[in-house]
Amino acid sequence: MDELIITAAVVGAELTREDTPYLPLTPGEIAEEARRACEAGASVIHLHARDARGSPTQDVEVYREIIRLVRERCGPVIQVSTGGAVGMSAEERLQPVRLGPDMASLTTGTVNFGDDIFSNPMGLVRTFARAMKEHGVKPEIEVFDSGMVANALRLEREGLLTPPLHFDFVLGVPGALPAGVKNLLHLVESIPAGSTWSVAGIGKSQLSMATAAVILGGHARVGLEDNIFYARGELSRGNAPLVERVVRIARELGRDIAEPARARAILGLL
Ligand code: KMH
Ligand code: ZN
């Protein structure tokens, strides 16, 4: 098995300081959280950005500043979000891809997202995939439901996605595919040979899905974006404790942790 790549999704778009006081909001705070997550063992940082009021933004200048500050501190694979927040326009969401980060998220279908709709019609997905190709950005295909794998394979046939593909299975969003080993196995078996995958369990499933990834030879995404609790009723004091725990579990199970250089090699990044 390859070494385990741990992605830290350090901020997300939905949470507020009322949910958890440990949420980073300013570029400096987000970069510090990224540094702590990297020191704990994360090799990929999944980024969202917040404006001066703490609201989600896809402003290219805010992303530029966050990425600059992260790179000053550590050298993870930088992955920007093109999901942004529900309700944002396609143009708004696509902006950070222009910065040429290592990777960007690419959700390949529309899905219920709690009481909202996370809208990704195929026209938008094609535009995003084309932009990523143009800027040399590797997509992380975000799969919230199984039809999204089929959509990604369609884009591959259309020449808009280039193998080896990397998938992130986001399991447990209310309205989408629930978290569980059977659902995870179904998805793992649906993707082409030679692909890489990670799993992001939402809420309390973060721990069990990360553990399943360690065992199955996939990779794990953890962090406050997906889960703010360390244990029932106990907030995680930032992202690092969530990363540290997966590192401990992986080591107990005999799986090494990927440093950023190994993560780049495993993901096929130049
Ligand atoms: N905030 C969600 C609507 C992504 O980063 O691409 C979408 C999301 C996925 O977080
Ligand atoms: Zn995200």
Side-chain angles (χ1 to χ4, degrees), residues 14 67 98 122 126 197 219 250 265:
E14 284 75 32
I67 292 169
R98 297 211 308 263
M122 287 307 279
R126 286 192 183 92
W197 62 270
H219 304 283

Side-chain angles (χ1 to χ4, degrees), residues 118-174:
F118 180 30
S119 180
N120 297 288
M122 287 307 279
L124 173 150
V125 181
R126 286 192 183 92
T127 302
F128 282 20
R130 206 170 284 119
M132 290 178 201
K133 227 179 204 320
E134 278 164 20
H135 288 89
V137 175
K138 173 150 182 156
E140 173 173 280
I141 301 160
E142 306 292 336
V143 170
F144 290 70
D145 222 327
S146 48
M148 294 189 192
V149 173
N151 286 344
L153 300 186
R154 191 167 143 200
L155 293 173
E156 184 189 350
R157 285 194 298 276
E158 292 173 5
L160 292 172
L161 292 176
T162 309
L165 304 181
H166 177 67
F167 294 85
D168 180 46
F169 305 127
V170 186
L171 300 185
V173 169

Side-chain angles (χ1 to χ4, degrees), residues 10-149:
V10 295
V11 52
E14 284 75 32
L15 294 166
T16 69
R17 280 272 165 80
E18 279 163 20
D19 298 309
T20 172
Y22 302 105
L23 186 71
L25 294 176
T26 66
E29 290 168 354
I30 292 170
E32 270 302 294
E33 269 303 283
R35 180 186 64 74
R36 285 190 278 266
C38 289
E39 278 175 11
S43 51
V44 178
I45 301 293
H46 172 78
L47 283 176
H48 284 254
R50 302 299 183 103
D51 66 16
R53 294 201 319 275
S55 303
T57 179
Q58 291 291 97
D59 187 312
V60 72
E61 293 310 324
V62 182
Y63 270 95
R64 193 195 303 279
E65 179 65 356
I66 295 170
I67 292 169
R68 184 183 73 77
L69 292 173
V70 172
R71 288 198 173 133
E72 248 176 40
R73 289 165 171 76
C74 47
V77 172
I78 302 272
Q79 181 189 101
V80 300
S81 170
T82 66
V86 162
M88 287 178 171
S89 70
E91 296 72 29
E92 201 175 356
R93 285 169 52 184
L94 191 53
Q95 290 176 81
V97 170
R98 297 211 308 263
L99 297 171
D102 301 299
M103 299 181 82
S105 59
L106 177 69
T107 300
T108 49
T110 294
V111 64
N112 285 353
F113 195 83
D115 289 345
D116 297 318
I117 293 177
F118 180 30
S119 180
N120 297 288
M122 287 307 279
L124 173 150
V125 181
R126 286 192 183 92
T127 302
F128 282 20
R130 206 170 284 119
M132 290 178 201
K133 227 179 204 320
E134 278 164 20
H135 288 89
V137 175
K138 173 150 182 156
E140 173 173 280
I141 301 160
E142 306 292 336
V143 170
F144 290 70
D145 222 327
S146 48
M148 294 189 192
V149 173

